[in-house]
């Protein structure tokens, strides 16, 4: 056995890992609970094995969250060990990020050398979107770690020709599927293709191996889904964000094909908009949509950041007096969102959540380039050089196999994100390993060409100049940083060039010059990666980037939505380091025209909300105290029922008691019927209902809301501590402000 000897590159690697740990972990305690929707699920899963296995959102086991369980099982384990704290929920993802850096170093070093491994590790550690995601309780960082484990197993299978390593690939990918469903399969084209062309065995044996791997992969991937779907519906929670109470529908529908094609968000009414109030004769959902319609308040609902400056379906997400909007974000009463607008699709002229317009250069658009594209030109141009000499008629060499794999990792993902209609920007973290590996392998290969002389020596400077041009374009949108970042990188480039061209012949000077050149490439993305720790990160929609023109930050939700409701901080004040006006996402606290007074939280003023749900509830401990005081605990009872999970999440986090999210995430899942509601209320298991003014929900969900407002009495706000009580508007059930509490008092 070879004796380990500590060398200089081990010190550099340790420094890179330490940097990754600092970026991922520092200040996690200031992030609150992160995404409260998922945090509430972890708290519920801690209560019993039934909730744990079925991935229940609420303590009562009424409905699940919209993701598979493995990533959240890990969070439950950490919360069980360290206690239920926000940082305990985020720590697994932060550690997975550091682990990803270490694995990537080992993978790249094995085939391209120490220098390539160190560069790849540094690029991975300083990928802005990776740092942003790994500082939250979103599970994409865990997914990337598992995908890299699958890659390790694949390379070992190619080297050893051992069947067990290919089974390791299937096991890792199957676990990844149960972390984030079909997103884990983005690397399957690379796995199958590389094994098919690089494994040194006859084709018959290859096909047998791949068939066996596929069988194990499918068995592991769908094991949990099959068990859940085969469990009788009355013995498990409803599958959130599905219309048919099926995990299979969730996999192939909302979390599957809809990510590519867009369309209504999971849980929207199937087949389009349905009549929302047959009994009252208002069949708004069947009316012809008029993009230019103007509400009775004189505002054009079709104008906003999606369809004008009015946020959701109207100013501050509220209904216009006199009725709902007739275009743009979608019908709030039916939950139907047409193609090209709303939570399920992209608005005209740009992607939902700032994902840009589908097309070949989408990743280079300002909204996405600062998250992932800093070194993408180097990765793509390096792939051309790395694969230039591949001879397909002979067995592939080790480096050719690795270069082929990382290229096959990257290109299908670029194609997917360039064409997909509906995805969140933080999914781009899956691109990071491919970019980092090709950058490390490519720069070291081009460096050897540069030193060898000849025509190829000019390829390295050309690639670096192309990449720096893109980086300068990204920082150009940030006047406060533009000069410093451009000057810093340009100075590093010039100094590097001077050392390389005019410096001493000693190897140490050459290494110093090359290191300065790499530093020039990592300066700007390194600062972007630091911003999540400096300014905090939006846990619901994590993105990195400094404040732009005094606003909250690059691509952050407050900038795009004009409200802080997606902030994801649980404290009553923002962490230190936030710029003025960060509570609402606009410099100085100013909001665009069309927002109501107090629109900094999007729903009536007061303290900025802690997360998505707190914008509905406000900071109202009196409401919580009132509900807890009147709660009669018994098997199967609920503290209160809400229209959606985002309103329920803060109540679950605050009380730990069963809160029923009748319509799932956005209130549009047909998880409960009027008959079931009648059974629960008549048996005394459900007494209170908390309704908000957003009005999400499909046709069935409106029937439930209508039953509540018809058969329950409105509790005056003075009884539960509301500053104002806003009775339901005549003829509708849309509350223009805040929330309303209803109580069932009997037939």
């Amino acid at each position: 056995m070879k004796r380990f000897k500590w060398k200089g590159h081990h010190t550099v690697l340790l420094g890179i890992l330490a940097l990754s740990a600092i970026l991922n972990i520092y200040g996690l305690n200031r992030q609150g609970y992160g995404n409260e929707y998922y945090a509430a699920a972890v708290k519920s899963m801690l209560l019993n094995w039934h909730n744990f296995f079925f991935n229940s959102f609420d303590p009562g086991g009424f409905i699940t969250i919209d993701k598979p369980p493995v990533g959240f099982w890990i969070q439950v384990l950490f919360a069980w060990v360290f206690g239920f704290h926000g940082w305990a929920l985020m720590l697994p993802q932060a550690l997975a990020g550091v682990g990803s850096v270490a694995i990537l170093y080992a993978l790249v070093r094995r085939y391209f050398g120490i220098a390539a491994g160190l560069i790849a590790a540094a690029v991975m550690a300083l990928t802005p979107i990776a740092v942003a995601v790994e500082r939250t309780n979103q599970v994409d960082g865990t997914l990337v770690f598992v995908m890299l484990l699958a890659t390790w197993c694949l390379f070992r299978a190619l080297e050893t020709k051992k069947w067990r390593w290919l089974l390791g690939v299937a096991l890792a990918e199957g676990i990844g599927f149960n972390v984030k469903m079909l997103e884990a399969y983005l690397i399957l084209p690379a796995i199958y293709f590389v094994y098919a062309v690089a494994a040194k065995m006859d084709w018959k044996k290859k096909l047998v191996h791949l068939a066996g791997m596929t069988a194990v992969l499918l068995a592991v991937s769908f094991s949990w889904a099959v068990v859940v779907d085969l469990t009788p519906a009355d013995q498990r929670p409803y599958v959130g964000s599905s219309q048919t109470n099926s995990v299979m529908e969730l996999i192939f529908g909302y979390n599957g094909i809809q990510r590519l094609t867009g369309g209504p968000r999971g849980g929207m009414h199937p087949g389009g908009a349905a009549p929302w109030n047959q009994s009252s004769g208002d069949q708004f959902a069947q009316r012809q949509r008029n993009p230019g319609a103007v509400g009775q308040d004189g505002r054009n609902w079709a104008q906003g950041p999606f369809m004008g400056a009015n946020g959701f379906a109207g100013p501050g997400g509220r209904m216009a007096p006199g009725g709902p909007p007739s275009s743009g974000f979608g019908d709030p009463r039916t939950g139907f969102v047409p193609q090209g607008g709303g939570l399920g699709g992209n608005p005209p002229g740009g992607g939902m959540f700032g994902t840009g317009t589908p097309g070949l250069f989408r990743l280079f658009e300002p909204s996405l380039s600062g998250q992932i594209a800093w070194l993408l030109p180097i990765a793509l141009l390096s792939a051309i050089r790395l694969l230039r000499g591949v001879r397909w008629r002979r067995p592939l060499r080790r480096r050719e196999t690795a270069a082929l794999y990382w290229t096959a990792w990257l290109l299908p993902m670029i194609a997917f994100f360039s064409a997909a209609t509906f995805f969140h920007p933080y999914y781009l973290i899956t691109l990071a390993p491919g970019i980092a590996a090709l950058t490390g392998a490519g720069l070291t290969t081009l460096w050897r060409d540069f030193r060898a002389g000849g025509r190829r020596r000019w390829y390295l400077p050309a690639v670096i100049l192309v990449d720096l041009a893109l980086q300068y374009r990204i920082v150009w949108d940030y006047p406060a940083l533009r000069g410093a970042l451009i000057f810093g990188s340009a100075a590093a480039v010039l100094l590097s060039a001077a050392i390389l061209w005019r410096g001493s012949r000693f190897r140490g000077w050459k290494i110093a010059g090359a290191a300065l050149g790499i530093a020039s490439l990592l300066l700007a993305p390194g600062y972007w990666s630091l911003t999540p720790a400096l300014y905090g990160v939006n846990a619901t929609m994590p993105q990195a980037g400094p404040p732009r023109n005094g606003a909250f930050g690059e691509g952050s939700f407050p900038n795009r939505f004009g409200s802080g409701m997606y902030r994801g901080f649980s404290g009553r004040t923002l962490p230190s380091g936030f710029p003025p006006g960060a509570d609402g996402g606009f410099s100085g606290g100013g909001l665009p025209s069309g927002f109501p007074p107090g629109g900094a939280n999007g729903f009536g003023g007061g303290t900025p909300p802690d997360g998505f749900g707190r914008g509905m509830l406000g900071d109202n401990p009196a409401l919580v105290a009132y509900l807890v005081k009147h709660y009669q605990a018994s098997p199967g009872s609920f503290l209160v029922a809400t229209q959606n999970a985002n309103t329920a999440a803060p109540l679950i986090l605050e009380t730990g008691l069963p809160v029923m999210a009748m319509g799932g995430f956005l209130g549009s899942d047909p998880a409960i019927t009027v008959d079931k509601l009648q059974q629960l209320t008549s048996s005394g298991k459900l007494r209170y209902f908390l309704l908000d003014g957003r009005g999400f929900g499909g046709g069935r969900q409106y029937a439930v809301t209508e039953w509540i407002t018809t058969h329950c009495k409105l509790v005056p706000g003075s009884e539960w501590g509301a500053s104002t009580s806003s009775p339901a508007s005549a003829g509708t059930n849309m509350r223009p402000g805040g929330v309303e509490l209803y109580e069932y008092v009997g037939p």
Side-chain angles (χ1 to χ4, degrees):
M1 183 176 179
K2 190 176 181 180
R3 186 178 179 182
F4 175 77
K5 184 178 180 180
W6 187 270
K7 297 183 179 180
H9 70 269
H10 294 126
T11 303
V12 177
L13 175 62
L14 184 62
I16 293 172
L17 293 175
L19 175 62
S20 176
I22 292 171
L23 290 174
N24 288 359
I25 298 174
Y26 174 77
L28 278 186
N29 60 318
R30 299 186 314 208
Q31 287 291 140
Y33 288 123
N35 186 320
E36 293 187 343
Y37 173 59
Y38 296 129
V42 172
K43 187 164 190 174
S44 301
M45 293 161 70
L46 279 165
L47 296 177
N48 55 65
W49 287 106
H50 181 273
N51 287 355
F52 177 83
F53 179 78
F54 287 109
N55 215 21
S56 177
F57 162 73
D58 59 285
F62 173 74
I63 197 167
T64 74
I65 54 177
D66 59 359
K67 297 294 184 289
V70 169
F72 300 102
W73 286 349
I74 297 173
Q75 293 182 21
V76 170
L77 175 62
F78 273 68
W80 181 72
V81 172
F82 297 108
F84 186 77
H85 309 287
W87 60 265
L89 308 183
M90 301 173 198
L91 186 59
Q93 291 74 241
L95 295 177
V98 180
S100 295
V101 173
I103 295 177
L104 189 65
Y105 164 77
L107 289 171
V108 176
R109 178 197 170 176
R110 192 177 189 90
Y111 294 93
F112 297 101
I114 293 173
L118 292 175
I119 294 172
V123 173
M124 186 72 192
L126 296 177
T127 298
I129 193 61
V131 176
V133 174
E134 290 157 1
R135 291 179 60 85
T136 71
N137 55 340
Q138 303 279 5
V139 294
D140 295 71
T142 303
L143 172 64
V144 168
F145 177 77
V146 174
M147 293 165 79
L148 287 171
L149 287 179
T151 300
W152 175 274
C153 292
L154 174 68
F155 286 175
R156 293 293 293 158
L158 291 171
E159 293 170 1
T160 64
K161 303 180 185 178
K162 295 293 180 66
W163 166 247
R164 65 174 180 268
W165 287 109
L166 205 57
L167 293 182
V169 174
L171 179 62
E173 271 292 277
I175 293 173
F177 185 91
N178 283 288
V179 172
K180 206 71 189 297
M181 293 186 176
L182 290 173
E183 189 176 343
Y185 283 2
L186 286 174
I187 65 169
L188 284 186
I191 291 173
Y192 281 97
F193 177 66
V194 169
Y195 194 83
V197 301
K200 297 176 182 178
M201 59 186 72
D202 60 74
W203 274 100
K204 183 178 179 180
K205 194 172 183 180
K206 288 181 185 179
L207 292 176
V208 170
H209 283 190
L210 290 175
M213 185 197 78
T214 303
V216 175
L217 171 64
L218 295 177
V220 176
S221 296
F222 291 92
S223 56
W224 180 79
V226 169
V227 172
V228 173
D229 279 358
L230 290 179
T231 303
D234 59 352
Q235 298 178 23
R236 61 168 173 81
Y238 184 93
V239 178
S241 293
S242 75
Q243 283 289 295
T244 60
N245 196 11
S246 168
V247 181
M248 290 298 181
E249 182 208 327
L250 185 66
I251 291 171
F252 295 107
Y254 169 61
N255 284 332
I257 193 65
Q258 287 184 23
R259 300 289 167 169
L260 180 63
T261 63
R265 191 207 186 279
M268 297 307 179
H269 188 79
W276 71 272
N277 190 353
Q278 296 277 10
S279 61
S280 64
D282 187 342
Q283 299 186 12
F284 163 74
Q286 294 180 333
R287 297 178 186 174
Q288 184 177 2
R289 308 177 71 81
N290 179 7
V294 178
Q296 291 184 12
D297 62 350
R299 295 189 178 99
N300 188 329
W301 293 93
Q303 298 174 352
F306 309 97
M307 63 291 176
N310 296 329
F312 273 117
R318 301 176 182 143
M319 296 301 301
S326 55
S327 72
F329 196 78
D331 299 348
R333 304 184 185 187
T334 63
F336 174 72
V337 182
Q339 181 77 18
L343 291 176
N346 294 333
M352 181 63 176
F353 308 123
T355 55
T357 304
L360 184 61
F361 299 102
R362 186 185 206 172
L363 294 178
F364 297 104
E365 293 185 12
S367 58
L368 296 180
S369 57
Q371 306 304 313
I372 194 63
W374 297 93
L375 298 169
L376 185 55
I378 292 181
L380 294 175
L381 294 173
S382 295
I384 297 174
R385 168 63 184 89
L386 291 168
L387 298 176
R388 186 168 178 265
V390 173
R391 296 180 181 178
W392 300 97
R393 294 185 178 181
R394 60 165 172 76
L396 296 179
R397 297 189 179 96
R398 284 165 51 88
R399 287 195 175 191
E400 293 173 341
T401 299
L404 190 64
Y405 176 79
W406 293 116
T407 304
W409 173 306
L410 187 59
L411 292 182
M413 291 189 187
I414 291 177
F416 171 80
F417 289 117
S418 297
T421 305
F422 171 41
F423 67 90
H424 299 313
Y426 59 87
Y427 296 176
L428 297 175
I429 187 178
T430 55
L431 290 165
I435 293 175
L438 288 173
T439 298
L443 287 179
T444 52
T445 301
L446 296 180
W447 170 251
R448 286 192 292 269
D449 291 345
F450 178 79
R451 297 187 64 185
R455 289 181 299 177
R456 288 186 182 180
R457 73 180 306 177
W458 299 109
Y459 196 56
L460 175 62
V463 168
I464 291 177
L465 288 176
V466 169
D467 195 81
L468 286 176
L470 171 66
Q471 293 197 17
Y472 294 165
R473 173 62 189 87
I474 296 173
V475 302
W476 200 262
D477 291 333
Y478 298 83
L481 297 171
R482 183 169 58 207
L485 291 176
I486 292 178
F487 175 80
S489 62
V493 168
L494 292 175
L495 184 57
S496 173
I499 293 174
L500 293 174
W501 288 96
R502 299 294 182 182
S504 169
R505 294 184 178 181
F506 289 113
R507 182 171 180 268
W509 283 99
K510 297 291 185 182
I511 294 175
L516 272 173
I518 294 170
S520 69
L521 297 171
L522 295 178
L523 179 62
Y527 179 75
W528 250 249
S529 298
L530 183 61
T531 57
L534 292 178
Y535 303 111
V537 66
N538 182 326
T540 300
M541 200 60 56
Q543 295 188 56
R548 189 203 300 263
N549 297 327
F552 178 82
E554 159 63 21
S556 63
F557 252 72
N559 279 359
R560 303 208 189 290
F561 275 74
S563 73
M565 66 181 181
Y566 278 81
R567 181 176 308 99
F569 290 102
S570 286
R572 295 295 178 257
T573 57
L574 295 177
S576 60
F578 272 85
D583 53 39
F586 291 89
S587 178
L591 296 172
S593 60
F595 276 86
N601 69 9
F603 291 90
T607 305
D610 303 335
F612 191 178
R614 303 211 184 234
M616 319 304 164
L617 297 175
D619 184 13
N620 198 332
L623 171 60
V624 177
Y626 180 89
L627 292 171
V628 172
K629 178 181 177 181
H630 292 83
Y631 176 56
Q632 297 179 354
S634 64
S637 64
F638 291 89
L639 175 71
V640 67
T642 68
Q643 289 172 297
N644 55 74
N646 292 296
T647 305
L651 288 170
I652 294 172
L653 292 172
E654 188 75 20
T655 67
L657 296 174
V659 178
M660 177 189 291
M662 296 182 291
F665 181 66
L666 285 179
S668 51
D669 301 343
I672 194 169
T673 63
V674 170
D675 290 341
K676 181 63 176 177
L677 206 60
Q678 290 175 325
Q679 295 175 15
L680 290 171
T681 52
S682 60
S683 63
K685 294 181 179 180
L686 180 58
R687 181 179 174 188
Y688 289 99
F689 301 88
L690 194 62
L691 307 183
D692 65 65
R694 296 188 304 160
F696 287 120
R700 298 186 199 176
Q701 189 62 34
Y702 180 79
V704 170
T705 306
E706 185 179 42
W707 184 91
I708 293 170
T709 56
T710 302
H711 293 81
C712 302
K713 76 169 186 176
L714 180 65
V715 181
S718 58
E719 292 189 16
W720 52 270
S723 57
T724 60
S725 179
S726 176
S729 303
T732 74
N733 288 319
M734 310 309 301
R735 284 142 296 282
V739 296
E740 292 176 345
L741 184 64
Y742 284 83
E743 179 184 6
Y744 180 78
V745 293

